[in-house]
Amino acid sequence: MAQNAPQPAELEQLLRTGPFHLALRSALTARGLALTRVQHKLAQRGITIGVTSLSYWQQGARRPQRPESLRAVRALEEVLELPARSLHRLLVPEGGARPEAERPPARSYRSLMAPADALQQLFAELETPADGGLHTVGHHERVLIGPERQLVERESLQVVRAHRDGVDRYVAIHRGESGCDPARVRVRAAENCRLGRVRGHAEAGVVVAELLFDIRLRAGDTHVFGYVFEDGSGGPSAEYLRGFSFAGSQYVLQVRFDEAALPVRCRRFAQASAGAPRSAQQELTLSGRHHAVHLVEQGVRPGILGISWDWG
């Protein structure tokens, strides 16, 4: 198969700048190849690799690092008709520097979340640096709206990657609805983490929680962990949103409503920043007996994503 085939503009850009998983995903889409077909073509070149590994690579849940994996990446360039070393150099750039150790470009949380001053105060109490050393590569959230139209619980399963050595914790943020009492918010460490210090800001209705890992991550390492915020102390909820400082992660949000409090209309939306107008609005339909709506974003951009709803 010929190399240096014409590349779509988005793929060409990703091959220059990365990250690796988005460049790989874009190449797979451009060539229209299923992972099973890619696996077969690699096998013809003497490369044995599982479909699960290929899937993890394109999701960003794992990065090829071992010599045999890097050989598979070089073969992938042939299969996907890409210039030689175009994917490989996103993993092992000239000079040998490890891109995993580099901090990806980021947006300040001050432009994404309000009230930023309250968050800054809480971070200072926890002695949390501006750069926590982690960026998210996958996040699945489930939000439960109770019979009184209030947010009663949100559960997160998160995949992060360290961009510096020695990281052993993550600080999660919960912003309640108007009237939220941080003293009544409960935080629960659900998977692969322990609950550390918890701080709240009563006026802002914000809670931050330190989630401690049992290991210290090296630059490039990934970690999967889960946690839950139990609230119910605030007033009626009309939306749920999340800010993203880093680009490239996968995000799934599901909002489920109690049968006694069903909205009349739901929509997804995006914002460039907290004060920007909402764009990319799309109507969502409640699923059958589970009374839920969801959104899936394969490669988020810095900014805000969320779901809003109207009560009858």
Side-chain angles (χ1 to χ4, degrees):
M1 194 174 281
Q3 289 201 351
N4 297 319
Q7 314 299 340
E10 180 183 15
L11 173 56
E12 187 175 352
Q13 175 69 22
L14 287 169
L15 290 175
R16 288 198 303 267
T17 65
F20 168 80
H21 72 283
L22 287 187
L24 174 58
R25 188 187 306 161
S26 181
L28 289 166
T29 300
R31 302 300 176 248
L33 290 175
L35 294 183
T36 51
R37 183 61 177 161
V38 172
Q39 181 192 39
H40 176 71
K41 287 178 174 289
L42 289 173
Q44 291 178 326
R45 290 166 170 79
I47 301 293
T48 301
I49 187 170
V51 170
T52 299
S53 294
L54 291 171
S55 179
Y56 282 158
W57 289 0
Q58 67 152 344
Q59 292 172 23
R62 293 181 186 170
R63 287 174 69 92
Q65 298 184 53
R66 294 179 299 177
E68 58 268 31
S69 296
L70 294 176
R71 285 195 294 271
V73 170
R74 296 299 304 275
L76 268 173
E77 294 166 354
E78 293 184 20
V79 169
L80 298 174
E81 302 179 70
L82 301 175
R85 297 188 61 83
S86 57
L87 287 176
H88 187 270
R89 72 174 186 80
L90 297 176
L91 300 164
V92 185
E94 298 297 331
R98 291 179 61 194
E100 296 96 335
E102 298 177 0
R103 181 176 184 265
R107 287 270 299 278
S108 167
Y109 69 84
R110 296 185 66 89
S111 69
L112 301 175
M113 298 193 65
D117 291 339
L119 284 174
Q120 188 171 12
Q121 177 185 324
L122 295 175
F123 285 172
E125 291 181 21
L126 294 180
E127 300 177 317
T128 301
D131 175 18
L134 296 170
H135 55 279
T136 298
V137 296
H139 195 167
H140 188 171
E141 283 197 291
R142 294 191 297 181
V143 174
L144 176 61
I145 305 299
E148 303 300 323
R149 301 181 175 180
Q150 79 280 44
L151 190 156
V152 297
E153 181 180 284
R154 69 175 183 88
E155 177 183 1
S156 286
L157 181 64
Q158 198 159 345
V159 185
V160 293
R161 172 173 286 116
H163 48 261
R164 60 177 171 80
D165 291 335
V167 181
D168 64 355
R169 66 198 60 202
Y170 176 84
V171 176
I173 303 169
H174 173 72
R175 184 187 179 195
E177 298 296 339
S178 177
C180 169
D181 179 2
R184 294 171 56 191
V185 175
R186 296 290 177 263
V187 190
R188 177 160 45 90
E191 187 173 352
N192 296 328
C193 63
R194 295 176 289 110
L195 184 62
R197 295 169 293 175
V198 179
R199 297 290 186 271
H201 192 291
E203 183 178 344
V206 174
V207 176
V208 296
E210 193 178 47
L211 300 167
L212 308 174
F213 308 151
D214 289 329
I215 59 173
R216 287 185 177 272
L217 303 178
R218 298 175 302 170
D221 286 351
T222 55
H223 190 65
V224 180
F225 63 104
Y227 55 94
V228 179
F229 283 94
E230 299 174 356
D231 193 347
S233 65
S237 177
E239 64 183 18
Y240 183 82
L241 54 84
R242 173 161 290 278
F244 297 90
S245 296
F246 299 100
S249 66
Q250 181 191 65
Y251 180 58
V252 180
L253 169 62
Q254 176 181 274
V255 181
R256 185 161 60 89
F257 299 88
D258 189 279
E259 190 173 6
L262 299 179
V264 297
R265 184 185 181 198
C266 300
R267 68 192 70 81
R268 64 169 286 167
F269 65 87
Q271 287 178 271
S273 62
R278 294 187 171 177
S279 61
Q281 299 197 49
Q282 178 183 348
E283 296 289 328
L284 301 175
T285 303
L286 280 175
S287 62
R289 59 190 180 90
H290 297 293
H291 312 303
V293 291
H294 74 277
L295 67 81
V296 178
E297 194 73 15
Q298 293 290 351
V300 303
R301 299 179 179 180
I304 295 170
L305 287 173
I307 295 176
S308 65
W309 51 89
D310 299 327
W311 300 109

